[in-house]
Amino acid sequence: MMKKDWRLAGRVKMATLLLVVALGAGALGSGQHAQAAPLAACSPLSGTAWETAIWSCGHLPTTADTVTIPTGMTLTVTSAVETGSLILTSSGTRLALASNATLSIAGTLSSSPSAPAASLITGSGWLRFVGGSRELFNASWSASTDGWNMEFALDEGAVGTTARAFKGGELRFTSGTVATTNDIRPDDGLDNTGILTIAAGAVLSTTGNIERTGTAGVQAGSITVSGTLITSGSRISANTIAVGDGGTLRVKRAGGLTVAGALSYAPGATLAYAGSSAQTTSGELADNVGGLAVENSAGVALSKAVTVTGELALTAGSLVAGSHTVTLGSDATCSGSQDVTGTVRRASLALYTPACFGHPDVQLTFTSGTPPSSVIVTLTTGAAPFAGAVLRGYAISAPGFAGTATVRLHYLASELNGNDGANLRLWRNGGTYWEVAGRSSGDSSAVTVTGVTAFSDWALSEYGSTTAANIVDFSATRLAGDVQIAWSTSEELLNAGFRLYRGQGLYGPADAIHSGLLPALGEGSGHAYVYVDETVNLPAPLFYWIEDVDLAGVATRHGPAVVNDEQTFLPYVAP
């Protein structure tokens, strides 16, 4: 009777202890994870199977226990069992995982006392990491075994870290985050074997390489990313590397990745650049990607042309296309506050459907007529297309377009070049000079104009050049009853044309002597002009003024030139 009471008391004590552990974890709240203190240190005293061994702790290990398998003993796992931390003493095999076996580990996998000289784990079963944030492998662990498999199924929000390389026939990242500063090796022991998968919601972050062995370019079987793979490493090698719908490959290395194998992106996948210094694309950039994201304030430079079928997200830095073209698919969208510097192309454009070209506010909408077969928009920055303009320019080509369109163009506050953003207008180069396209609406970073009927080079400016023409000579001469007015320029910039005025006093009223503008002869170097005032029957003196008018309509007046009483007659020439 006393013996039975002693056993009952022992069970009560054990239940009480488990309740205390559970309550201690619950006191932290559902948003935190508590790593329970080891309930016991367990070692097998006898037996060859984990499930039936005699354990020094008196019970089958749980995730609260620390298990040590000593030298000279090998345990086989044939079902689903668990442990806290697991220590495998060197050397020799300490654990054999049958094909249907799973050992869940809630602590750290360790080899002791030093790096293993032989395979400590064998078989084709699974070692499954579960639980909260912690170090996953101790400093002595070495990726010296292959064939058996590992799954990382950590708690949501938990981060498992390691500075050790690890390998397995199949590596599954199911939940939580695994962060490693060493290599990851999917390897089933033969060439072109080894599988790595990252499930939706799971994150794998590495500064090392992902390939079958430590030799550069040795390909594993497959890598599939449905969650997030963050890499600062230099190489990824597998027969097939697939970033699936919802998956993200986030590259941090300045020079991009060297990729061995066939790389593909699903329409809903994303390739993101998240380095801390300027990046250049490399093997990770396929010809076609789903989404493309720039999360690097220093920017990303393309090394090849690319087609983006999903979202182009320029959230932190610009995408510098250089001599390459970014092609956006018919359903592609744009987001973020930065630009594609260079050329963006779109085809399959439809009426009444806004189409973006890099920045969301670089946008064309065709509102009537026949949309073009394609549109090419090229952005250049750092220089004004003409004196006084914003320090960027756009070249827009829309072959086959016939109708009207709405154009919206983006600018940065740092590029205003003295302009007032509230007064900016869009300008188009008509071939011989810049002309005002206008302003239908605008805000602090973009200007919109409607009713556009032609495309070429575009700019943003408030007024353009203050003086449209540098006039170096201006005279008025009586010829019989007429007056010949002549002037010449040394340079003309943004010059729309001239107006001539005549008055009979230096300070009296002056009237225009023609309708409209006398057109300018072209940008750049100077020109000579002559105009004959044929309706003059007025006594001298006569005063003439000339105004040059820039493309924004701003006029600058010059003169006067004076005609006195004397008359000048042309010589008679016999027929």
Side-chain angles (χ1 to χ4, degrees), residues 92-160:
T93 300
R94 302 277 76 82
L95 193 67
L97 299 172
S99 60
N100 59 343
T102 299
L103 172 58
S104 294
I105 178 170
T108 300
L109 177 60
S110 302
S111 59
S112 176
S114 61
S119 298
L120 296 180
I121 303 176
T122 60
S124 57
W126 289 85
L127 191 67
R128 187 171 186 262
F129 289 87
V130 297
S133 299
R134 64 188 186 276
E135 193 77 18
L136 298 176
F137 302 91
N138 80 330
S140 296
W141 185 260
S142 175
S144 61
T145 60
D146 53 50
W148 57 280
N149 308 301
M150 279 190 279
E151 181 182 8
F152 300 85
L154 304 179
D155 295 344
E156 182 178 355
V159 179

Side-chain angles (χ1 to χ4, degrees), residues 146 186-194 212-213 218-222 239:
D146 53 50
D187 182 9
D188 205 21
L190 299 174
D191 291 347
N192 302 303
T193 63
R212 193 175 70 84
T213 70
V218 176
Q219 294 175 203
S222 65
N239 294 347

Side-chain angles (χ1 to χ4, degrees), residues 207-261:
T207 62
N209 303 311
I210 304 176
E211 48 198 358
R212 193 175 70 84
T213 70
T215 302
V218 176
Q219 294 175 203
S222 65
I223 297 172
T224 303
V225 181
S226 298
T228 300
L229 172 58
I230 305 171
T231 176
S232 302
S234 59
R235 301 187 305 273
I236 295 180
S237 305
N239 294 347
T240 59
I241 305 164
V243 184
D245 286 323
T248 298
L249 173 58
R250 184 166 283 116
V251 178
K252 289 190 168 184
R253 187 169 177 267
L257 292 171
T258 298
V259 175

